[in-house]
Amino acid sequence: MKNRGILTKIYIALIMVFMYAPIAVLIFYSFNKSRSAAWGGFTFDWYIQLFKSSSIMNALTNTLLVAFLASFFATILGTAAAIGISNLKGKTRMLVQNASNIPIISPDIVMGVSLMLLFTFLGVLFNFEMGFGTVLLSHICFCVPFVVLNVMPRIRRMDSSLYDAALDLGCTPFQAFRKVVIHELMPGIFSGALISFTYSLDDFVITHFTQGARFQNLSTEIYGMLRRKIPPTINALSTLLFLVIIIIMVLINIRDRRAEKRKMSL
């Protein structure tokens, strides 16, 4: 048993090293004064140049704006879709639910090319070019199924009599929906919004096909830089993004633990 426990720990340690060693190297080189792989001294110059770079800052602003708007609208549409699907019955419900999962399991390149063809066709009809609007619509399109996927289990676990009880106690249908249904579904809604934001922030393939010539987000901007030469500012940017994600995860875990302690105390 002891040998098995030691092997398990070694196995987990090797996996962690395999996963995080590249990130550690990236963080290390973000402070390297030299542009080459050789260590040239410690510096914060790449972080200073990062914030002075107008192209990267504009791309970061576009990325965050699209991610916030896409997750916001996708959460509203996905929650409404999940509630609508739950009200269907029989084969119709199964068919619609399976259809909503198709964008999740289909390759990104298929969705990217299909959306590009759609926007190109509509652009010829209505005389517009692809850009911020087409990227936002594309991100909303592939984020909605993730919200549905997170909200549906909460709907299945919710007691349907709670809504009727709220109506019997004097709530209007809107009040009962807001105070009972939305309250019960909030963990799934929050998870769907967070996943939508993460996927929108991370997406490259769909954005690449639907961005047009004038719009750039962070992933496509970095891709353009990598095609020329890897600038050290990319190491600094990646380090900051990694730290932000770690901080968000820690805060979420702290919040969840406090919520569990409150439930235990009650």
Side-chain angles (χ1 to χ4, degrees), residues 24-151:
V25 172
L26 182 144
I27 295 173
F28 175 78
Y29 277 109
S30 70
F31 299 103
N32 184 13
K33 193 172 184 179
S34 174
R35 287 180 173 268
S36 64
W39 179 254
F42 186 87
T43 184
F44 284 106
D45 290 344
W46 307 126
Y47 289 89
I48 297 172
Q49 291 186 22
L50 171 65
F51 288 102
K52 289 182 178 180
S53 174
S54 59
S55 61
I56 293 179
M57 288 296 103
N58 289 332
L60 179 61
T61 302
N62 291 335
T63 301
L64 293 175
L65 184 60
V66 169
F68 276 116
L69 292 176
S71 59
F72 175 76
F73 289 111
T75 301
I76 295 174
L77 295 174
T79 303
I83 294 172
I85 292 171
S86 66
N87 290 326
L88 299 176
K89 295 181 180 180
K91 293 183 179 179
T92 304
R93 177 178 177 177
M94 184 179 298
L95 181 64
V96 175
Q97 188 169 351
N98 289 335
S100 68
N101 292 332
I102 291 176
I104 298 177
I105 60 178
S106 63
D108 287 346
I109 192 169
V110 173
M111 195 168 186
V113 172
S114 61
L115 287 170
M116 179 191 68
L117 294 174
L118 174 63
F119 291 138
T120 302
F121 174 73
L122 294 176
V124 173
L125 287 180
F126 300 103
N127 191 25
F128 70 89
E129 296 181 357
M130 288 189 290
F132 175 81
T134 55
V135 171
L136 178 59
L137 290 174
S138 302
H139 283 223
I140 293 172
C141 185
F142 75 77
C143 285
V144 166
F146 291 101
V147 179
V148 175
L149 195 65
N150 280 273
V151 175

Side-chain angles (χ1 to χ4, degrees), residues 161-206:
S161 62
L162 292 175
Y163 179 79
D164 296 329
L167 294 177
D168 292 338
L169 292 172
C171 288
T172 64
F174 177 75
Q175 288 175 333
F177 177 77
R178 180 172 59 86
K179 295 182 178 181
V180 176
V181 178
I182 296 298
H183 177 75
E184 289 292 320
L185 301 182
M186 189 53 68
I189 293 172
F190 179 77
S191 299
L194 192 61
I195 290 175
S196 298
F197 181 81
T198 304
Y199 272 87
S200 177
L201 202 69
D202 181 63
D203 179 72
F204 167 76
V205 176
I206 296 175

Side-chain angles (χ1 to χ4, degrees), residues 205-216:
V205 176
I206 296 175
T207 304
H208 178 71
F209 283 103
T210 60
Q211 67 180 355
R214 299 179 181 179
F215 181 85
Q216 290 285 347

